[in-house]
């Protein structure tokens, strides 16, 4: 049987593994399978990424070049822009972007394009796994028809799964290898092959009964996070109105040994996942006539946080007899979370634009980001001297490389949106 032949190739690690989309998700996955002994080939549209990958020069923070380079040198891992290599693949993981359109509808164009390429070079005995975060039903409704078009039958001639990617860039404890991998297939045989495949390279695999369950798992996880962040952001706004320190409240509540999990307020949501994925779910449920009201509400509150931070800056300057207009405001940290270089959807970008609209002269520093693109052009990072000359410094991202003690000494006024100055008491600090 075709499934037995594929299972044997996977067990013996002679299966040729392909990864489409060599970004934050695809590159670490490709590395894990190459390290496990498979021949891995990554496909990406970006010639620059392919060139760097083939030179053993990693562009992904969680994959050191010292790990990538030996795999490239030994021939276990390579990258290409040429999709015809799919002809030789036994397995292929799709790790392409799934952004939102301006209308907050899912943008499926990347998944469509990747599947079209797979369909062109499709052959019996392949295992196809979609990893891109998407709405429940995508694998069966979008991917499967494209693959079955040529006459091959799922569960019999080829195998199809969805497996959500849970990677958390910059997390030193949990990375692709030791994050449990959920996988659900179109048929029981698909699920079993998916389970077998991942268990060759990753520590724990969690099979589920269908692709839809696997798709929904990811959306539950990210929606849970988005809504809880929305809750604490609203609590921060309430605490502000009542003169209560929200950070102290959360820390004390977190001493409860059961039934509570701390989430923290901040300047707004950022990144490729939390601000986006829940809207994939709300878009889909709307089609079934169900309003995703928690998601809409949390989205609204989280979207208000950059405005809340900018109002804090304005009030803090006013308290020092200064207007925002004409003041120098220095932003510390522009990536969407600490110790990474990713600025996608970062609230820092909104905060900068809002401050500029109010007439502030804005600069930024970030040990991981040299420049950012704004609506009207590019802005380059400034060095530490900008702190001394600023009328107000705003901590937007609490990178561990910042010298917070020196900051408190040097800055005239600090708005801390992350509680990075926890434990430090000084008259120039205004907390969220
Ligand atoms: N970054 C994260 O922390 C994270 C975590 C969990 C899930 N995800 C999900 O994983 C998916 C990928 O995210 P990412 O962060 O790795 O994105 P990314 O932008 O870092 O990488 C995607 C890569 O795909 C390439 N690409 C786009 N279209 C292609 C095509 N048709 N063929 C070949 N390559 C193509 C791009 O050039 C890019 O290198 C998304 O659905 C995302 O929501 C991301």
């Amino acid at each position: 049987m075709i499934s037995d032949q594929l299972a044997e190739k996977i067990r013996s690690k002679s299966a040729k593994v392909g990864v489409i989309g060599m970004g934050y998700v695809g590159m670490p996955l490709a590395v894990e399978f190459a390290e496990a002994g498979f021949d891995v080939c990554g496909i990406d549209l970006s010639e620059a990424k392919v060139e760097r990958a083939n030179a053993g020069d990693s562009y992904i923070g969680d994959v050191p070049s010292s790990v990538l380079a030996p795999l490239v040198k030994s021939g276990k891992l390579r990258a290409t822009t040429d999709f015809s290599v799919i002809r030789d693949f036994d397995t292929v993981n799709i790790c392409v972007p799934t952004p939102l359109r301006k209308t907050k509808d899912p943008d499926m164009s990347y998944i469509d394009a990747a599947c079209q390429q797979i369909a062109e070079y499709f052959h019996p005995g392949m295992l196809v796994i979609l990893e891109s975060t998407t709405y429940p039903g995508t694998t069966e409704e979008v991917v499967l028809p494209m693959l079955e078009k040529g006459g091959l039958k799922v569960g019999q001639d080829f195998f199809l799964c969805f497996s959500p990617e849970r990677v958390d860039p910059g997390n030193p404890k949990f990375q692709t290898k030791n994050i449990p991998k959920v996988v659900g297939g179109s048929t029981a045989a698909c699920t079993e092959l998916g389970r077998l495949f991942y268990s060759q390279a990753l520590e724990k695999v969690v099979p589920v009964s269908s692709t839809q369950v696997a798709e929904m798992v990811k959306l539950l996880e990210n929606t849970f996070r988005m809504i809880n962040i929305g809750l604490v952001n609203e609590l921060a706004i309430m605490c502000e109105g009542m003169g209560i320190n929200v950070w102290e409240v959360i820390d004390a509540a977190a001493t409860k040994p059961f039934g509570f999990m701390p989430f923290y307020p901040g300047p707004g949501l950022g990144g490729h996942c939390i601000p986006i994925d829940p809207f994939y779910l709300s878009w889909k449920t709307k089609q079934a006539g169900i309003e995703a009201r928690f998601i809409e509400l949390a989205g609204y509150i989280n979207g208000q946080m950059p405005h809340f931070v900018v109002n804090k800056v304005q009030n803090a300057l006013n308290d020092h007899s200064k207007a925002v207009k004409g003041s120098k405001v220095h932003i510390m940290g522009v990536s969407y979370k600490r110790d990474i270089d990713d600025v996608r959807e970062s609230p820092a970008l909104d905060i900068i634009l809002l401050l500029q609209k109010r007439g502030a002269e804005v600069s930024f520093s970030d040990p991981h980001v040299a420049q950012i693109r704004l609506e009207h052009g590019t802005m380059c990072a400034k060095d530490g001297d900008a702190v001394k000359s600023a009328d107000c410094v705003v901590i937007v991202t609490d990178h561990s490389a910042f010298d917070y003690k020196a900051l408190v000494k040097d800055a005239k006024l600090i708005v801390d949106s992350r509680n990075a100055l926890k434990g430090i008491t000084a008259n120039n600090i205004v907390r969220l």
Side-chain angles (χ1 to χ4, degrees):
M1 269 191 6
I2 288 181
S3 61
D4 294 338
Q5 287 164 9
L6 180 57
E8 186 40 40
K9 281 187 184 176
I10 291 172
R11 270 192 218 98
S12 63
K13 299 192 171 153
S14 60
K16 302 267 180 266
V17 172
V19 174
I20 300 186
M22 290 286 279
Y24 288 94
V25 166
M27 169 70 100
L29 186 78
V31 164
E32 287 307 335
F33 275 91
E35 287 214 304
F38 290 87
D39 281 348
V40 182
C41 178
I43 307 178
D44 205 288
L45 297 178
S46 158
E47 275 177 22
K49 282 186 183 172
V50 165
E51 259 173 42
R52 285 188 66 178
N54 284 333
D57 174 18
S58 177
Y59 45 83
I60 298 293
D62 288 341
V63 177
S65 295
S66 58
V67 171
L68 178 65
L71 294 171
V72 173
K73 203 167 171 207
S74 66
K76 282 283 159 207
L77 180 58
R78 68 191 177 95
T80 179
T81 55
D82 176 6
F83 285 84
S84 70
V85 290
I86 294 171
R87 272 196 204 106
D88 301 324
F89 290 170
D90 295 299
T91 70
V92 60
N93 290 64
I94 306 170
C95 307
V96 296
T98 42
L100 285 175
R101 295 190 191 280
K102 281 216 167 89
T103 51
K104 293 218 162 156
D105 289 353
D107 179 354
M108 302 304 286
S109 59
Y110 298 86
I111 292 183
D112 277 347
C115 289
Q116 265 168 28
Q117 293 288 0
I118 295 173
E120 189 170 342
Y121 301 103
F122 208 37
H123 53 85
M126 271 183 93
L127 171 64
V128 179
I129 307 179
L130 178 62
E131 294 217 7
S132 302
T133 306
T134 183
Y135 59 82
T138 305
T139 312
E140 302 304 311
E141 295 161 18
V142 177
V143 181
L144 181 60
M146 290 174 87
L147 299 183
E148 281 195 330
K149 223 175 176 177
L152 298 183
K153 186 96 193 90
V154 72
Q156 204 177 293
D157 305 316
F158 74 96
F159 306 92
L160 178 62
C161 293
F162 181 83
S163 177
E165 179 48 62
R166 294 161 144 177
V167 72
D168 180 23
N171 188 325
K173 195 167 164 205
F174 293 107
Q175 301 206 332
T176 304
K177 191 172 180 66
N178 63 350
I179 298 173
K181 196 85 173 102
V182 171
V183 60
S186 288
T187 67
C190 298
T191 307
E192 174 46 25
L193 282 164
R195 187 205 63 73
L196 182 69
F197 173 68
Y198 284 120
S199 61
Q200 305 305 309
L202 311 183
E203 283 178 11
K204 187 172 179 191
V205 186
V206 183
V208 294
S209 63
S210 66
T211 55
Q212 290 94 333
V213 168
E215 288 161 339
M216 196 64 156
V217 166
K218 175 71 185 175
L219 294 179
L220 168 62
E221 291 166 5
N222 282 4
T223 303
F224 172 85
R225 196 162 163 70
M226 180 232 201
I227 287 172
N228 279 287
I229 293 171
L231 175 65
V232 288
N233 278 336
E234 189 170 57
L235 200 81
I237 295 168
M238 290 175 189
C239 283
E240 151 103 346
M242 293 186 282
I244 298 169
N245 182 330
V246 67
W247 306 97
E248 194 182 347
V249 172
I250 297 167
D251 282 350
T255 60
K256 188 179 178 187
F258 50 87
F260 183 82
M261 183 186 281
F263 285 85
Y264 297 96
L269 295 183
H272 199 298
C273 296
I274 309 294
I276 292 174
D277 302 348
F279 291 102
Y280 268 71
L281 182 56
S282 63
W283 176 84
K284 184 67 178 174
T285 60
K286 246 181 228 156
Q287 295 181 339
I290 303 162
E291 290 283 327
R293 288 194 286 178
F294 271 118
I295 293 175
E296 300 297 336
L297 182 59
Y300 171 77
I301 294 168
N302 293 328
Q304 289 304 303
M305 292 315 285
H307 298 266
F308 185 66
V309 170
V310 169
N311 286 342
K312 279 233 156 211
V313 173
Q314 176 156 349
N315 292 341
L317 283 165
N318 291 166
D319 288 347
H320 283 69
S321 308
K322 284 210 153 251
V324 178
K325 193 167 182 191
S327 285
K328 286 185 181 164
V329 180
H330 184 68
I331 305 294
M332 288 184 66
V334 291
S335 61
Y336 79 86
K337 68 173 186 172
R338 72 148 62 177
D339 297 346
I340 64 163
D341 62 0
D342 193 347
V343 295
R344 288 179 293 181
E345 312 285 329
S346 175
L349 308 178
D350 290 335
I351 290 171
I352 290 172
L353 286 177
L354 288 169
L355 284 166
Q356 285 176 334
K357 273 190 189 145
R358 292 193 194 185
E361 201 183 301
V362 188
S363 59
F364 84 89
S365 54
D366 190 308
H368 304 277
V369 183
Q371 61 174 40
I372 50 176
R373 289 183 65 154
L374 297 166
E375 267 170 20
H376 48 265
T378 305
M379 188 189 267
C380 292
K382 288 267 181 330
D383 60 18
D385 282 349
V387 165
K388 286 186 186 155
S389 60
D391 298 300
C392 182
V393 174
V394 191
I395 302 174
V396 175
T397 313
D398 51 343
H399 290 306
S400 46
F402 285 136
D403 183 345
Y404 293 108
K405 280 198 181 132
L407 170 68
V408 174
K409 198 158 65 66
D410 292 341
K412 295 185 189 87
L413 181 61
I414 307 163
V415 171
D416 179 5
S417 75
R418 296 278 189 181
N419 206 22
L421 305 178
K422 185 178 176 178
I424 305 178
T425 312
N427 289 335
N428 58 349
I429 303 173
V430 175
R431 292 177 214 277
L432 187 76

